[in-house]
Amino acid sequence: MTELKDQIDRSKLPNHVAIIMDGNGRWARERGSHRIFGHQNGITAVRETVEGAGELGIKYLTLFAFSKENWCRPKEEINSLMSLMISTINSETETLIKNNVRLLIIGDMQSLPDHIRNKLNEVVDITGSNKGLTLVIALSYGARWEIADAARRIAEDVAEGKIKKDAIDEAAFSEYLVTRHIPDPELLIRTSGEYRISNFLLWQIAYTELYFSPALWPDFRKEHLYTAIIEFQKRERRFGKTSEQLNCD
Ligand code: FPP
């Protein structure tokens, strides 16, 4: 049988894959363990996915690591998750550099503790000129927050005469989003068999293909990524047009 990886058409790769990593808590519960054990094991899945995406030549990979709503979780879980993310980024910085990975963070950076924000900014700077995979980590991110924040900043710029009200179209609005330098995802994967978007990239996924994997995030491996991409490549993306109209502008 052909290997899954060989079934992928390298000329039709999604440029940007976004992932809602879900199911860490359930994975831990199934093992009679604490939720944080699930998050710890989720790191293996993060490594595999970053490596898999990089090897394929995918340009952008966005991982939803912590939502604005996640601040409501128990303090102990939040602290453990933050420590886990920082220790992972610390221990993986050399690997990111070696593999030409550029790190970007999207989200409400002001809501993060200073030492975490500073560390993240440091690694974003160090990897800033890397030309391989761009790894985008969504941290303290919520799409409604992002859109409301953009609207507020546009209103400020209109009031200050920096932009004219009539110049606000879709492209101009996009420039105020945290993803302004990042193309929209072509493929969004959510793990753990849940069929929700959970306030992730609502503006950016207007035409994104959605793929729901039954795997709990700590079990997610390169093969799951390959399966999602193979499924993506079987679909016809019509952007609101009919099949016959696909070649018209
Ligand atoms: C969702 O599972 C997962 C999270 C809220 C955290 C995911 C974060 C990581 C795996 C760490 C990422 C680290 C880096 C460096 C990118 P859940 O707890 O909601 O699971 P449940 O739905 O089964 O309860």
Side-chain angles (χ1 to χ4, degrees), residues 21-27 29 35 38-39 42-43 46 63-66 70 73 77 81 84-85 88-89 137 192 194 216-217:
M21 309 182 283
D22 194 17
N24 294 353
R26 275 162 284 165
W27 189 92
R29 199 168 57 234
R35 301 177 57 79
H39 299 318
I43 298 299
V46 169
L63 302 178
F64 198 5
F66 193 86
N70 286 153
R73 292 198 176 194
E77 183 177 352
L81 253 175
L84 186 62
M85 282 190 264
T88 305
I89 286 173
I137 298 184
S192 88
E194 302 281 355
L216 300 177
W217 179 251

Side-chain angles (χ1 to χ4, degrees), residues 174-194:
S174 296
E175 287 299 309
Y176 285 81
L177 297 172
V178 291
T179 51
R180 59 191 156 276
H181 302 304
I182 304 169
D184 291 343
E186 276 100 32
L187 172 61
L188 170 64
I189 301 170
R190 183 180 186 135
T191 61
S192 88
E194 302 281 355

Side-chain angles (χ1 to χ4, degrees), residues 21 61 98 100 199:
M21 309 182 283
L61 174 69
K98 203 170 86 209
N100 212 10
N199 202 14

Side-chain angles (χ1 to χ4, degrees), residues 94-113:
E94 281 309 311
T95 314
L96 294 179
I97 295 169
K98 203 170 86 209
N99 290 292
N100 212 10
V101 176
R102 175 171 70 129
L103 181 74
L104 292 180
I105 309 291
I106 56 168
D108 183 4
M109 295 292 278
Q110 294 315 313
S111 66
L112 295 171

